[in-house]
Amino acid sequence: MDFIFYFGDVFSPLSFLLLLGGTVGGLILGATPGLSPTMAVALLIPFTFHLEAVQGLILLGAAYTSTVAGGAVSAILLKIPGAPANIATTLDGHQMAKQGQGAKALQLSFLASAVGGIFGVLLLIFLTPLLAEWALAFGPSHLFWLAILGVTVIGSLDSASVVKGLLSGCIGLWLATIGFDDIMGAQRFIFHPSLGGGINIIAALIGLFAIPQVLTMFAKGRRSAGAEVIEVQKHSVLDATRELLRRPLALGIGTITGSIIGLIPGVGGQIAGLVAYDQTKKFSSEKEKFGKGHSEGVIAAEAANNAMVGPSLVPLLTLSIPGSPTAAVLLGGLLIHGIFPGSDLFDNHPDVAWTFINSMLVGQVLMCLFGLYVAGLAARVAQVPQSVMAAIVLALSVFGAYSVQSSMGDVYVMACLGIGMYFLERFGFSAAPLVLGLILGPIAESNFIQGGMIADATIGKASYFLSGGLNIFLISVVVASIAYSGWMELRSRRYTTKEEAQA
Amino acid sequence: MNQSQHIFGSGVVFAVGVWVAWISYTQAPAEAFLFPRLIASVFVVLAGWTFGKAVLGLSKVGAGISRSLCLNMLPGLAVMLIYVFWAAKALGFYTATAIAFFILLSLYDPAPHSETRTWVKRALITACFVAVMYGLFALLLSVYTPREILF
């Protein structure tokens, strides 16, 4: 119950102002097609440099929460999911909007998001200390395997091709070794002065998430104007609340599915929304209404994608393993403020950890309140032509990367990584495992070296890294996640080939 | 995506993998390259696998780059490269941002180029955006950025 002691800190004037700003800004960013929560949070990190760690995290946490919810606005009114997490919302949400129930769909989505989100953060509050206590038993070999687990799980589950996903993770791990090594002080892979200090994580995050999006907008050419928005008629919030309460099945399935999926590293909001939608449809007594503008579809999808936000931070705060790409960006935000998440986070920085978590709880309520009233405005923002969006994101990326260390080298690194990532994405590689490799690389290497030293003095490297219950468990999870993803990939390919043959 | 694009893409990644492995195994001190060697070994194996699949025509993932996509992207990419690698430092951040922003808007804005009204609109959007950036970075966050011409 430690979190209660730090609840008041959320309401200090600056913290609350940042929470408000992050929430409203996040709703608007989320509603803008092409701006994913990960990219929005990455672009916001430079704005936190001049803030205290806790205030910076409040801003980032609020933006994370509300961009996921804000994505429902464009999903419902434009049929363009603001983020992948909102894909399931488009199925019934847009149909409702077309039938003149846009306001009702938006209200239901924000109310369901708040219920799911609050449940998810409560899970974060109660699960995190338990896991953090368990994580105290972790030694260097376990931390090494955990870092590898983080990269491989995201690499295998988040990518269309397991091998390309794992390869992306390898590229990230290699990029993390650029610069001077910590033990010998030797130069590694430095072929330009800009790389002398290694790759700055924030510049890299901005480049890897924002620049490919800018190039994608360029690639659409002059046809990429803002989409037509369906007009939103007025609808009573009270009626929407009654409707939500009449649909406990959709709300319950959405919330629970989202929370469970959030705990699994790498699975993400997209899967949470789609699984919740599918399960609700299976259990619903009105199956035939799904896909034709049924409120249960919107409720289940939105409750699920916001319920996964809190639990996706559990592995990050306890084991330093980000559960999602956005959590990886948040890890970058923590590291830049000198806070290293893990087992001792709650002992060394309880004020930062608990105030951040509490702010997410308050943020869910604010998100709902603002969402209900500024959804119309956010929808207007979604009409901004993509040419303007691309130019804005490019300039913000340059300023953001420069402001990390006032170095042009960081801007060059940001641009090179971003352009490289765009082409890699076109060839089936993904950014998330690459980013995780980059972030978890130093953790993996330091524990590998440290573990190696202990092993040399005791039982030998092979025994130290490959024996023991926890090591074997972690290695098994690494192997199982790769094998499972490989099997799923093979199965979907066989299914596609069979369908092609039948066609 | 055609096979040659798959071969080219995975070939570049494989070449990078071989280069990383070669450096990792040849540079001294060996202790500093212990971890890079571990990664490089896995990197080369996976990159080789991907390249092999591409050569055999078994690669399925990835949309590739079409001619029209390239043609659409090239002007924007060129402006971006000039902005990032030359103009931002040489002209100053705010001047370069204003110029790059206006050019990008003009290049990609679907509004007609023959109307004075749309040009005025683009100029106004650019001015407003640069003013917001100046307010945010120079005044609010006190971030010093290179200023060479005008401001």
Side-chain angles (χ1 to χ4, degrees):
Chain A
M1 290 293 169
D2 288 354
F3 75 99
I4 293 169
F5 296 114
Y6 299 98
F7 218 87
D9 294 353
V10 180
F11 296 97
S12 72
L14 182 60
S15 297
F16 194 68
L17 200 70
L18 287 165
L19 188 59
L20 283 176
T23 305
V24 177
L27 281 171
I28 293 169
L29 288 173
T32 313
L35 291 185
S36 67
T38 315
M39 183 180 138
V41 176
L43 283 175
L44 275 176
I45 287 183
F47 293 98
T48 69
F49 295 156
H50 297 261
L51 300 169
E52 296 283 318
V54 67
Q55 291 160 349
L57 284 173
I58 286 175
L59 179 68
L60 299 180
Y64 182 15
T65 305
S66 50
T67 40
V68 174
V73 177
S74 53
I76 291 168
L77 301 181
L78 308 171
K79 209 186 176 185
I80 304 169
N86 306 103
I87 288 172
T89 314
T90 55
L91 301 172
D92 280 293
H94 189 65
Q95 288 296 329
M96 282 180 79
K98 274 168 68 177
Q99 292 159 16
Q101 295 181 310
K104 184 182 167 187
L106 286 171
Q107 287 165 352
L108 283 173
S109 82
F110 283 112
L111 289 167
S113 291
V115 173
I118 289 169
F119 184 83
V121 178
L122 287 174
L123 212 63
L124 173 71
I125 288 172
F126 293 108
L127 271 183
T128 309
L130 293 176
L131 262 174
E133 217 162 282
W134 179 61
L136 279 172
F138 282 42
S141 66
H142 311 124
L143 290 170
F144 167 76
W145 283 117
L146 261 179
I148 299 298
L149 173 70
V151 180
T152 50
V153 167
I154 297 261
S156 53
L157 291 176
D158 191 62
S159 309
S161 156
V162 180
V163 176
K164 284 186 176 175
L166 295 174
L167 195 47
S168 303
C170 271
I171 297 173
L173 285 168
W174 164 60
L175 289 172
T177 64
I178 292 175
F180 289 89
D181 97 285
D182 290 340
I183 311 286
M184 315 287 293
Q187 284 191 11
R188 299 188 302 193
F189 310 106
I190 301 172
F191 49 88
H192 189 274
S194 304
L195 297 172
I199 289 183
N200 181 277
I201 192 70
I202 303 304
L205 286 172
I206 294 172
L208 291 167
F209 286 115
I211 299 299
Q213 204 55 54
V214 170
L215 293 175
T216 305
M217 291 184 206
F218 288 159
K220 286 180 184 165
R222 291 189 64 204
R223 63 190 162 84
S224 55
E228 281 289 312
V229 179
I230 293 173
E231 278 303 317
V232 177
Q233 284 105 19
K234 284 197 169 143
H235 185 265
S236 157
V237 176
L238 206 65
D239 285 346
T241 314
R242 281 197 204 107
E243 169 86 15
L244 185 81
L245 295 174
R246 274 203 302 269
R247 310 282 183 193
L249 182 85
L251 191 63
I253 290 178
T255 303
I256 292 165
T257 310
S259 302
I260 294 169
I261 288 176
L263 281 169
I264 307 167
V267 182
Q270 180 186 343
I271 307 288
L274 288 167
V275 171
Y277 182 88
D278 183 55
Q279 289 304 310
T280 309
K281 189 178 172 181
K282 273 184 188 143
F283 285 100
S284 174
S285 54
E286 298 167 319
K287 285 186 192 66
E288 69 289 346
K289 287 187 182 173
F290 276 78
K292 294 171 189 159
H294 191 26
S295 59
E296 281 192 350
V298 176
I299 294 168
E302 280 305 309
N305 66 27
N306 249 52
M308 62 74 62
V309 170
S312 77
L313 298 178
V314 174
L316 170 73
L317 295 178
T318 54
L319 307 167
S320 321
I321 305 296
S324 66
T326 320
V329 179
L330 275 176
L331 175 60
L334 278 166
L335 295 176
I336 205 129
H337 286 286
I339 293 168
F340 192 82
S343 52
D344 49 2
L345 174 69
F346 291 85
D347 291 331
N348 295 342
H349 304 283
D351 51 333
V352 176
W354 285 123
T355 311
F356 167 55
I357 294 173
N358 289 334
S359 77
M360 290 190 74
L361 203 59
V362 180
Q364 296 286 350
V365 179
L366 289 176
M367 174 271 294
C368 181
L369 293 175
F370 281 110
L372 291 171
Y373 294 101
V374 300
L377 170 75
R380 293 284 150 214
V381 176
Q383 282 178 300
V384 173
Q386 298 226 333
S387 53
V388 180
M389 254 8 271
I392 290 175
V393 173
L394 174 63
L396 272 175
S397 303
V398 171
F399 277 77
Y402 182 83
S403 59
V404 179
Q405 306 181 107
S406 298
S407 155
M408 278 310 288
D410 287 338
V411 180
Y412 302 149
V413 167
M414 180 273 298
C416 290
L417 283 178
I419 294 167
M421 193 65 240
Y422 173 76
F423 288 103
L424 282 174
E425 278 181 348
R426 300 298 307 178
F427 290 106
F429 295 85
S430 43
L434 202 151
V435 163
L436 275 177
L438 193 57
I439 290 176
L440 296 175
I443 301 171
E445 182 171 12
S446 62
N447 284 293
F448 179 71
I449 302 293
Q450 214 179 326
M453 288 173 181
I454 297 169
D456 287 340
T458 53
I459 52 173
K461 277 196 181 79
S463 301
Y464 182 77
F465 281 101
L466 301 173
S467 65
L470 198 49
N471 277 339
I472 292 170
F473 170 73
L474 292 169
I475 296 166
S476 309
V477 180
V478 169
V479 175
S481 73
I482 296 170
Y484 172 75
S485 309
W487 178 68
M488 289 298 284
E489 191 186 326
L490 214 67
R491 213 175 68 150
S492 76
R493 201 165 292 167
R494 270 189 203 145
Y495 180 73
T496 316
T497 318
K498 209 171 150 186
E499 269 201 335
E500 277 170 2
Q502 278 171 353
Chain B
M1 179 166 52
N2 62 39
Q3 194 180 347
S4 58
Q5 281 208 20
H6 272 300
I7 294 173
F8 177 75
S10 54
V12 170
V13 175
F14 183 52
V16 172
V18 171
W19 174 73
V20 170
W22 186 75
I23 291 183
S24 303
Y25 280 96
T26 54
Q27 296 286 305
E31 290 85 352
F33 285 89
L34 201 61
F35 187 68
R37 279 179 193 177
L38 187 76
I39 299 159
S41 307
V42 183
F43 191 159
V44 166
V45 171
L46 293 173
W49 173 282
T50 312
F51 183 56
K53 271 180 81 173
V55 171
L56 294 171
L58 299 171
S59 284
K60 303 282 179 208
V61 178
I65 299 166
S66 66
R67 195 182 139 81
S68 65
L69 192 135
C70 252
L71 288 175
N72 282 339
M73 190 180 55
L74 269 177
L77 183 62
V79 173
M80 180 178 151
L81 290 173
I82 295 168
Y83 170 45
V84 170
F85 289 97
W86 178 76
K89 184 92 171 92
L91 304 179
F93 265 42
Y94 296 101
T95 312
T97 302
I99 296 168
F101 195 93
F102 186 73
I103 295 173
L104 288 174
L105 274 196
S106 311
L107 280 172
Y108 290 103
D109 190 358
H113 283 116
S114 51
E115 290 176 14
T116 318
R117 197 174 59 88
T118 57
W119 286 103
V120 173
K121 197 174 159 189
R122 284 178 201 124
L124 275 175
I125 293 172
T126 306
C128 287
F129 176 70
V130 176
V132 170
M133 291 297 276
Y134 186 77
L136 269 177
F137 283 89
L139 304 179
L140 188 73
L141 299 174
S142 309
V143 176
Y144 175 78
T145 47
R147 287 165 209 180
E148 300 297 328
I149 297 175
L150 297 176
F151 73 103

